[in-house]
C-alpha cells in the first residue's frame, strides 16, 4: 500500500527518497498515528508537570522519595522474566545509527549494542530515516557497507551483539510527521518504525524487540512507555511482555522513583542503567539555583564519590531486589593514537572505573568505542565470572535523601570553564551539521556532555561562583573566554557562528533551558 493511500490526517512532510519508503510504510505510520492519538495528550501533561516541579525546585524544594508510593517501595514483587539473550550484558557499546557505526558496534565483541536515536544522533530527517533502514537491514541480513573513501568493505559478523534501540526522549518532536495537524513525538516515531519492521524478525532469530527508554523523570512517564508497549503489542499481534526495555536513570528525580519505575514497567522492563553524564546535567538543571548545589569542575564529579556513588549503589540494591539488572555507566574515552603514554593512562582510568562498577555489584557497563570493549570485558570476566550479579545487593538499600543529594567537592577552575566552553560550542556545531557523536579532546562527546558544559557555565554565572584563583565568574570573564577559545578552534567549522550564538544564549539565559536540543532543533537543517 503506497504512502499516498494514507488518510489526510497522517502527513509525511519530509522527503521520501531512495529506500525511505521501505520504512515509511502505511503500516508503520498507522502505528505512529495510533500511539500519538492515545498518548500524546498525556505526554504533554507530563511535560507540563516537569515545568511545575522545576518551579518548586527553584523555590527551594528538594527531590525526595514519594509518600504516595510507599507501598510500592515496601511491596514484595519482581519484574517479569528476562529473555535468555539478555542474561549476560557485561559490556555494552553505544553509538549512532549510521551504517558503518552500526556494523562496527555489532561486530565489536560487546554483548550488547545500543543503537541511539537520542543523545548520539543529530535528528535530521535523513539521519532518522537512514538509521531505521540500517536497523531493518540488520534483521533482514542485508547489513553491509563499502566505504567510498577507503574502499574498505564492512559486513556483519557471525556473532553480533544483541541489539537494543534508544528512541528519543518524551521532550523531542519529529516535525516531519504530523497526525491530525500536530507533529508526533520523536520517541513514538522511532519506537513504532523499529517495532513494525523488526519485532517479528528479531523474535524469529532468537532475540526480540529490545529498547532503552531515556530521560524519564517519574513513574508516570514510565507508565506512558508501558502503555505504548501494550498498544504496539496489540497492534502487531505480540503477547504482552514481548517488548523488553532498560530504563536510563539519568535524571535526579528518577533516582528517587527507581522502584516505582520498575513497577510501572514490570511486564516489560529488564533493568536500569546509570546514565552518569545526563544525571550530572539533570542535577545542575534541577537544583542549579540552590547555592548548596554549586558544582565543581566536571572532571571532579566522579562515580566513586558523593551523589554519583550513592545513586549507583542505590540503583544496584533496588534493581537486584526486584530481579532486574543494574547496568553501570559510560566510559567515554577513545584511543589516543599520537601518545602511547597518555593512551595507557586513559585505559588504566577506564579499567579502574570498571573495577569499581563490578565491585559495587553492577551487571555490566557501557563503553563508547570498540577499543574499550576488551578493557571492560577483561574486568567483568575477572570480577564477574557468572552471567550477572543479581544476587549481589551491596550497601545501597539504606541510602536516603541526604546521600543522593551529597554534592561533590572540588575547585572551580579556569581550565574547567574553558573545557566547558570549547566542548559545548564544538559539539553544538557538529550537531547542527548532522553529527551527534563527536570525538573531542580524547573523549566521545554526545548531547549529554554538551548539556553539562552549558548548564555548568549557566550555574556558575548565576551564583557568581569563585574560581580557585579568586576571580568571579561573571559575564565579562565568560565572554572573554568564549572569544579566546573560538580563536583556538580548528578551521573549517561551517556553523561555528551559529553554535557560538546558541551556546552564549543558553549560558546567559535568565532561566535554564530544559534541553539544548530544543532550540537547536529549530535551526537544524533537514
Amino acid at each position: 500500500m503506497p504512502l499516498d493511500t494514507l488518510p489526510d490526517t497522517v502527513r509525511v512532510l519530509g522527503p521520501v527518497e531512495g529506500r525511505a519508503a521501505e520504512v515509511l510504510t502505511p503500516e508503520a505510520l498507522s502505528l505512529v498515528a495510533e500511539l500519538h492519538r492515545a498518548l500524546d495528550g498525556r505526554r504533554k501533561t507530563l511535560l507540563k508537570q516537569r515545568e511545575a516541579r522545576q518551579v518548586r525546585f527553584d523555590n527551594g524544594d528538594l527531590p525526595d522519595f514519594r509518600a504516595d508510593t510507599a507501598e510500592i517501595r515496601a511491596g514484595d514483587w519482581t519484574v517479569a522474566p528476562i529473555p535468555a539473550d539478555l542474561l549476560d550484558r557485561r559490556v555494552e557499546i553505544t553509538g549512532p545509527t549510521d551504517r558503518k557505526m552500526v556494523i562496527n558496534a555489532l561486530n565489536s565483541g560487546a554483548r550488547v549494542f545500543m543503537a541511539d536515536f537520542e543523545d548520539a544522533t543529530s535528528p535530521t530527517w535523513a539521519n532518522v530515516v537512514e538509521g531505521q533502514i540500517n536497523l531493518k537491514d540488520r534483521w533482514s541480513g542485508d547489513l553491509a557497507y563499502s566505504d567510498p573513501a577507503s574502499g574498505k568493505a564492512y559486513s556483519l559478523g557471525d556473532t553480533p551483539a544483541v541489539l537494543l534501540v534508544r528512541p528519543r526522549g518524551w521532550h523531542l518532536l519529529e516535525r516531519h510527521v504530523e497526525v491530525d495537524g500536530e507533529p508526533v513525538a520523536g520517541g513514538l516515531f522511532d519506537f513504532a518504525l523499529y517495532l513494525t519492521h523488526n519485532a517479528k524478525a528479531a523474535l524469529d532469530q532468537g532475540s526480540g524487540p529490545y529498547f532503552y527508554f531515556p530521560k524519564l523523570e517519574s513513574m508516570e512517564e514510565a507508565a506512558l512507555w508501558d502503555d505504548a508497549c501494550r498498544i504496539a503489542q496489540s497492534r502487531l499481534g505480540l503477547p504482552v511482555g514481548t517488548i523488553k526495555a532498560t530504563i536510563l536513570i539519568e535524571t535526579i528525580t528518577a533516582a528517587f522513583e527507581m522502584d516505582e519505575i520498575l513497577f510501572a514497567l514490570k511486564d516489560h522492563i529488564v533493568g536500569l542503567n546509570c546514565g552518569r553524564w545526563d544525571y550530572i546535567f539533570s542535577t545542575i538543571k534541577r537544583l542549579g539555583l540552590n547555592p548548596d548545589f554549586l558544582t565543581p569542575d566536571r572532571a571532579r564529579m566522579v562515580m566513586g564519590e558523593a551523589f554519583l556513588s550513592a545513586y549507583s549503589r542505590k540503583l544496584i540494591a533496588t534493581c537486584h531486589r526486584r530481579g532486574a539488572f543494574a547496568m553501570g555507566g559510560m566510559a567515554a574515552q577513545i584511543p589516543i593514537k599520537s601518545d602511547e603514554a597518555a593512551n595507557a593512562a586513559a585505559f588504566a582510568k577506564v579499567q579502574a572505573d570498571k573495577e569499581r562498577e563490578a565491585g559495587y555489584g553492577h551487571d555490566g557497563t557501557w563503553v563508547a568505542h570498540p577499543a574499550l570493549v576488551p578493557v571492560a570485558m577483561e574486568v567483568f570476566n575477572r570480577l564477574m565470572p557468572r552471567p550477572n550479579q543479581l544476587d549481589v545487593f551491596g550497601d545501597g538499600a539504606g541510602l536516603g535523601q541526604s546521600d543522593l543529594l551529597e554534592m561533590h567537592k572540588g575547585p572551580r577552575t579556569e581550565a574547567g570553564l574553558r573545557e566547558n566552553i570549547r566542548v559545548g560550542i564544538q559539539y553544538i556545531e557538529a550537531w547542527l551539521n548532522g553529527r551527534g557523536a563527536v570525538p573531542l579532546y580524547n573523549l566521545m562527546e554526545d548531547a549529554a556532555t554538551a548539556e553539562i558544559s552549558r548548564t555548568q557555565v549557566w550555574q556558575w554565572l548565576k551564583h557568581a561562583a569563585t574560581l580557585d584563583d579568586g576571580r568571579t565568574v561573571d559575564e565579562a570573564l565568560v565572554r572573554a573566554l568564549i572569544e579566546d577559545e573560538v580563536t583556538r578552534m580548528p578551521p573549517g567549522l561551517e556553523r561555528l557562528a551559529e553554535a557560538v550564538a546558541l551556546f552564549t544564549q543558553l549560558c546567559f539565559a535568565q532561566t535554564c533551558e530544559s534541553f539544548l536540543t530544543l532550540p537547536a532543533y529549530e535551526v537544524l537543517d533537514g
Side-chain angles (χ1 to χ4, degrees):
M1 187 166 60
L3 277 182
D4 58 15
T5 64
L6 281 170
D8 291 340
T9 52
V10 180
R11 300 175 63 215
V12 176
L13 305 180
V16 182
E17 300 169 341
R19 298 183 58 198
E22 294 180 30
V23 292
L24 296 167
T25 62
E27 181 187 14
L29 292 169
S30 66
L31 179 56
V32 173
E34 183 174 354
L35 291 167
H36 174 86
R37 289 170 178 145
L39 303 176
D40 200 58
R42 278 169 58 200
R43 181 187 70 86
K44 290 175 179 175
T45 297
L46 289 168
L47 293 178
K48 288 289 186 185
Q49 290 177 9
R50 289 184 184 181
E51 294 176 8
R53 191 179 239 181
Q54 185 64 58
V55 171
R56 296 195 295 273
F57 290 146
D58 289 347
N59 289 327
D61 278 8
L62 295 176
D64 203 352
F65 299 98
R66 288 169 57 162
D68 63 326
T69 57
E71 288 186 8
I72 292 175
R73 293 193 298 278
D76 185 17
W77 51 268
T78 58
V79 303
I82 295 171
D85 64 337
L86 288 177
L87 288 174
D88 186 336
R89 300 174 61 175
R90 63 190 59 226
V91 178
E92 303 190 348
I93 190 168
T94 77
T97 60
D98 65 271
R99 201 165 184 88
K100 188 169 88 168
M101 290 275 199
V102 169
I103 296 170
N104 284 342
L106 288 169
N107 290 342
S108 67
R111 291 285 197 272
V112 168
F113 166 47
M114 186 196 78
D116 189 13
F117 284 102
E118 215 239 11
D119 279 348
T121 291
S122 173
T124 65
W125 180 239
N127 283 349
V128 168
V129 172
E130 288 168 15
Q132 292 286 348
I133 292 168
N134 296 335
L135 299 183
K136 181 174 180 286
D137 284 352
R138 182 268 173 266
W139 293 114
S140 67
D142 298 320
L143 187 60
Y145 176 72
S146 180
D147 191 326
S150 67
K152 185 176 178 181
Y154 298 81
S155 60
L156 197 60
D158 295 331
T159 57
V162 178
L163 178 60
L164 276 69
V165 175
R166 176 158 70 164
R168 282 167 279 182
W170 285 132
H171 58 291
L172 293 168
L173 294 174
E174 178 46 71
R175 65 186 178 209
H176 299 93
V177 178
E178 290 184 354
V179 173
D180 304 330
E182 293 186 320
V184 301
L188 292 179
F189 176 82
D190 303 335
F191 174 75
L193 263 64
Y194 180 73
L195 268 176
T196 300
H197 299 301
N198 303 293
K200 291 178 180 175
L203 289 164
D204 289 344
Q205 295 174 51
S207 190
Y210 302 151
F211 293 90
Y212 261 102
F213 294 144
K215 304 285 191 293
L216 299 186
E217 300 210 7
S218 66
M219 72 173 294
E220 286 79 10
E221 294 184 19
L224 192 61
W225 271 120
D226 191 71
D227 284 346
C229 291
R230 292 175 189 277
I231 291 167
Q233 286 165 159
S234 175
R235 163 64 73 104
L236 297 174
L238 301 172
V240 171
T242 301
I243 296 169
K244 294 298 183 185
T246 306
I247 302 300
L248 288 127
I249 301 299
E250 52 189 342
T251 66
I252 183 70
T253 53
F256 289 90
E257 297 190 33
M258 290 191 283
D259 270 309
E260 292 88 336
I261 287 169
L262 287 166
F263 185 79
L265 275 158
K266 65 179 184 294
D267 289 333
H268 298 107
I269 199 165
V270 294
L272 305 177
N273 172 290
C274 285
R276 64 171 75 176
W277 306 123
D278 264 303
Y279 195 81
I280 295 171
F281 155 54
S282 172
T283 302
I284 299 171
K285 177 174 68 174
R286 287 309 200 183
L287 304 178
L289 291 182
N290 189 323
D292 293 338
F293 296 93
L294 184 59
T295 51
D297 280 1
R298 164 187 159 183
R300 296 301 295 262
M301 290 186 281
V302 296
M303 288 298 293
E305 299 174 7
F307 68 76
L308 289 175
S309 173
Y311 117 95
S312 169
R313 289 147 53 210
K314 186 73 170 179
L315 183 144
I316 292 165
T318 303
C319 287
H320 288 177
R321 180 186 176 200
R322 306 303 185 186
F325 287 141
M327 302 303 298
M330 170 66 79
Q333 288 82 358
I334 58 178
I336 308 171
K337 296 177 180 177
S338 59
D339 189 332
E340 193 171 315
N343 190 64
F347 277 37
K349 186 176 179 180
V350 173
Q351 182 181 40
D353 183 50
K354 300 315 175 189
E355 288 174 342
R356 175 195 55 77
E357 289 183 325
Y360 276 179
H362 282 291
D363 300 291
T365 191
W366 272 17
V367 299
H369 193 282
L372 291 179
V373 171
V375 179
M377 192 70 76
E378 185 280 328
V379 171
F380 272 84
N381 286 345
R382 170 165 44 89
L383 299 179
M384 191 183 80
R386 299 162 295 154
N388 53 64
Q389 302 193 90
L390 285 172
D391 59 340
V392 176
F393 293 87
D395 63 355
L399 297 175
Q401 182 195 34
S402 61
D403 302 295
L404 292 173
L405 297 179
E406 180 188 354
M407 180 46 62
H408 290 250
K409 307 297 183 187
R412 286 166 289 277
T413 67
E414 179 183 326
L417 186 53
R418 283 181 176 275
E419 180 182 21
N420 282 334
I421 289 167
R422 62 175 171 264
V423 168
I425 290 173
Q426 288 182 81
Y427 179 83
I428 292 171
E429 195 278 337
W431 196 92
L432 293 175
N433 270 309
R435 293 186 295 125
V438 187
L440 293 170
Y441 309 104
N442 305 318
L443 294 175
M444 186 63 75
E445 305 284 7
D446 66 10
T449 42
E451 293 283 27
I452 297 172
S453 297
R454 62 93 182 178
T455 51
Q456 190 162 60
V457 176
W458 175 87
Q459 185 196 38
W460 290 6
L461 281 164
K462 279 292 180 186
H463 291 286
T466 303
L467 298 180
D468 63 341
D469 60 11
R471 286 179 295 166
T472 298
V473 179
D474 57 18
E475 181 172 347
L477 175 62
V478 171
R479 289 192 184 278
L481 293 181
I482 289 174
E483 185 176 345
D484 186 55
E485 283 295 328
V486 168
T487 67
R488 302 166 186 261
M489 290 178 187
L493 299 179
E494 299 171 6
R495 304 190 69 172
L496 180 59
E498 292 169 277
V500 171
L502 180 54
F503 183 81
T504 305
Q505 171 193 324
L506 292 167
C507 291
F508 292 110
Q510 187 64 31
T511 58
C512 187
E513 176 68 58
S514 57
F515 294 95
L516 72 82
T517 47
L518 294 175
Y521 192 50
E522 296 299 315
V523 294
L524 182 67
D525 294 336

